Structure formats: structure tokens, C-alpha cells
């Protein structure tokens, strides 16, 4: 998810033998950026390699809801960041009810 795109091309050996260990290690290390166990885990089990990208939150707050909690309600960012979607909606509804 870091924007890299794999483009690789390997010519067949002239004598039609298999590829040597060095080319395999080069492809894994320099092109795929994985070790062999990680590669086979991906191929056989569908386990994607860790690329250092944070996992998305299960239920992120919509941007407009966050904006209203910060600008209208006046909550601190840390408090909003710790809220679930249901808590954030309830807090905004409470604000509207009390300030109407």
C-alpha cells in the first residue's frame, strides 16, 4: 500500500535449466521485499506481507462528524479520537438537544 508496483521480467536460461538460488533470492529481497517464509505464506495462505501500513480502524468516524465535534461542540481532538461512532453521534445529539 505504499505505492510501489512490481514489474519484473526474467528471461529463461539459455540451456533451459532452472533458475539458480541467487536469482530467486534477488527477486525476493530486492523486488518483492520479503523473505522466503513470508513469500510462501502469501502464496499458499493468502497472508499479505507487513508493509508497515497501519490497519484501518474497524469503524472510523466520518470527517464531518469529527469537524462538528471539534468546532461546534468544542471537544479536544484526543477525546474525539477515543470515541466510537455511536458515542460521537450521541455526543453531537446531546449538544444539539441542550443548545437548541
Amino acid at each position: 500500500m505504499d505505492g510501489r508496483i512490481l514489474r519484473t521480467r526474467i528471461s529463461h536460461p539459455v540451456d533451459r535449466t532452472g533458475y539458480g538460488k541467487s536469482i530467486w533470492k534477488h527477486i525476493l529481497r530486492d523486488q518483492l521485499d520479503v523473505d522466503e517464509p513470508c513469500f510462501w505464506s502469501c502464496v499458499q495462505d493468502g497472508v499479505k506481507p507487513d508493509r508497515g501500513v497501519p490497519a484501518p480502524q474497524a469503524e472510523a468516524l466520518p470527517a464531518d462528524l469529527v469537524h462538528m465535534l471539534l468546532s461546534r461542540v468544542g471537544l479536544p481532538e484526543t477525546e474525539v479520537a477515543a470515541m466510537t461512532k455511536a458515542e460521537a453521534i450521541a455526543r453531537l445529539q446531546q449538544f444539539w438537544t441542550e443548545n437548541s
Side-chain angles (χ1 to χ4, degrees), residues 42-99:
C42 182
V43 170
Q44 295 170 339
D45 305 324
V47 177
K48 293 182 181 179
D50 179 17
R51 299 289 188 210
V53 177
Q57 293 181 357
E59 187 179 32
L61 300 179
D64 56 342
L65 178 58
V66 171
H67 176 72
M68 283 192 265
L69 289 170
L70 296 174
S71 63
R72 292 247 178 125
V73 180
L75 297 178
E77 274 188 54
T78 53
E79 188 175 334
V80 174
M83 290 180 164
T84 65
K85 186 175 181 180
E87 292 170 337
I89 291 170
R91 183 62 182 90
L92 189 57
Q93 287 173 338
Q94 176 188 355
F95 172 77
W96 283 334
T97 302
E98 293 173 358
N99 296 304

Side-chain angles (χ1 to χ4, degrees), residues 18-29 36:
Y19 298 109
K21 287 183 180 183
S22 64
I23 190 72
W24 175 246
K25 288 182 186 234
H26 163 69
I27 291 168
L28 289 178
R29 181 187 65 240
E36 194 165 349

